Amino acid sequence: EDKVVQSPLSLVVHEGDTVTLNCSYEVTNFRSLLWYKQEKKAPTFLFMLTSSGIEKKSGRLSSILDKKELSSILNITATQTGDSAIYLCAPAPLVFGKGTRLSVIA
Amino acid sequence: DTGVSQNPRHKITKRGQNVTFRCDPISEHNRLYWYRQTLGQGPEFLTYFQNEAQLEKSRLLSDRFSAERPKGSFSTLEIQRTEQGDSAMYLCASSLFGQESNQPQHFGDGTRLSIL
């Protein structure tokens, strides 16, 4: 059975802090791992990671995959209140983690 | 707007009634997925289609749930004899699947179902 564990489940930080969100997985037929951000409605796509060790960046967000450790991290630097959301990890199209709820306070 | 569209946005119904939701994916996307999401949980897979073929259904999916994608475009999800435990957000997503890899899913805003 496919498993995805995200940690921490929730996190409260102050604006300007840097955060690291973790995702570990056990899935069959792994192809890629995706990160999504979910605010009030639908998840929106952040990153797709296919190759181990190659960092993907988008502004203050970055992510990297470690296929040997079956894990991925999502980093957010200089957090802003607009980063408050649930961050979801999906190591397969049909399998999502429970998410990490990030709250950034001013 | 050419994103994924779901209707209705909200549905309130009495226990025992049947409900049907519709999803219109991004037009060039060949894969369409249905998920259910409850508070504090990630999206839970229900079923998915590639074009008009239903390729997989979750083992957890009750036989009261059925989905169709008759022409490979829009899809409907029907829940028969609704129960209170069916109350959730029902999300639809679509993606373009090719031989090399799957592409990211694009989600609709969901249909929130409340069972009285």
Side-chain angles (χ1 to χ4, degrees):
Chain A
E1 184 178 339
D2 294 339
K3 293 181 183 178
V4 187
V5 177
Q6 291 189 246
S7 63
L9 288 180
S10 66
L11 190 57
V12 181
V13 300
H14 291 277
E15 270 192 321
D17 288 350
T18 293
V19 298
T20 298
L21 311 182
N22 300 285
C23 174
S24 62
Y25 61 90
E26 293 178 32
V27 301
T28 54
N29 299 318
F30 177 85
R31 285 190 175 188
S32 56
L33 184 144
L34 291 92
W35 283 96
Y36 292 86
K37 177 183 182 182
Q38 186 173 25
E39 296 174 87
K40 292 185 179 178
K41 296 178 181 176
T44 54
F45 169 73
L46 293 175
F47 296 110
M48 183 167 73
L49 305 166
T50 309
S51 301
S52 200
I54 298 176
E55 185 182 54
K56 290 211 172 180
K57 291 196 72 171
S58 176
R60 296 175 294 102
L61 278 66
S62 64
S63 185
I64 196 163
L65 176 66
D66 187 337
K67 285 186 177 179
K68 186 177 178 183
E69 296 296 325
L70 304 182
S71 66
S72 175
I73 60 171
L74 175 68
N75 284 316
I76 308 174
T77 59
T79 51
Q80 302 172 357
T81 55
D83 296 327
S84 296
I86 297 171
Y87 291 84
L88 297 164
C89 161
L94 310 181
V95 182
F96 281 78
K98 291 186 178 182
T100 293
R101 180 181 292 276
L102 174 64
S103 299
V104 182
I105 53 178
Chain B
D1 187 347
T2 56
V4 178
S5 176
Q6 291 189 246
N7 288 289
R9 296 290 301 277
H10 304 274
K11 180 70 177 178
I12 302 173
T13 192
K14 292 182 179 179
R15 184 168 53 94
Q17 298 294 305
N18 298 344
V19 294
T20 300
F21 311 140
R22 175 178 171 127
C23 172
D24 287 89
I26 293 172
S27 58
E28 60 267 29
H29 286 182
N30 52 5
R31 283 203 169 174
L32 186 149
Y33 307 80
W34 285 100
Y35 295 88
R36 174 172 60 193
Q37 188 174 26
T38 54
L39 196 63
Q41 302 294 317
E44 175 193 15
F45 167 72
L46 296 178
T47 188
Y48 85 99
F49 295 83
Q50 181 155 314
N51 300 314
E52 64 275 10
Q54 188 172 21
L55 294 190
E56 189 168 341
K57 285 177 66 172
S58 167
R59 290 171 298 171
L60 303 175
L61 199 61
S62 159
D63 58 7
R64 296 183 296 106
F65 287 69
S66 62
E68 293 183 340
R69 193 182 184 198
K71 297 181 180 179
S73 56
F74 74 92
S75 175
T76 57
L77 177 68
E78 181 182 18
I79 309 174
Q80 296 182 324
R81 304 181 302 282
T82 52
E83 301 173 356
Q84 290 210 324
D86 297 332
S87 295
M89 176 73 85
Y90 289 83
L91 293 168
C92 175
S94 69
S95 71
L96 184 64
F97 180 79
Q99 288 186 346
E100 294 298 319
S101 68
N102 197 12
Q103 293 300 310
Q105 296 173 53
H106 296 259
F107 283 82
D109 284 342
T111 293
R112 183 170 294 283
L113 174 64
S114 298
I115 306 297
L116 301 177

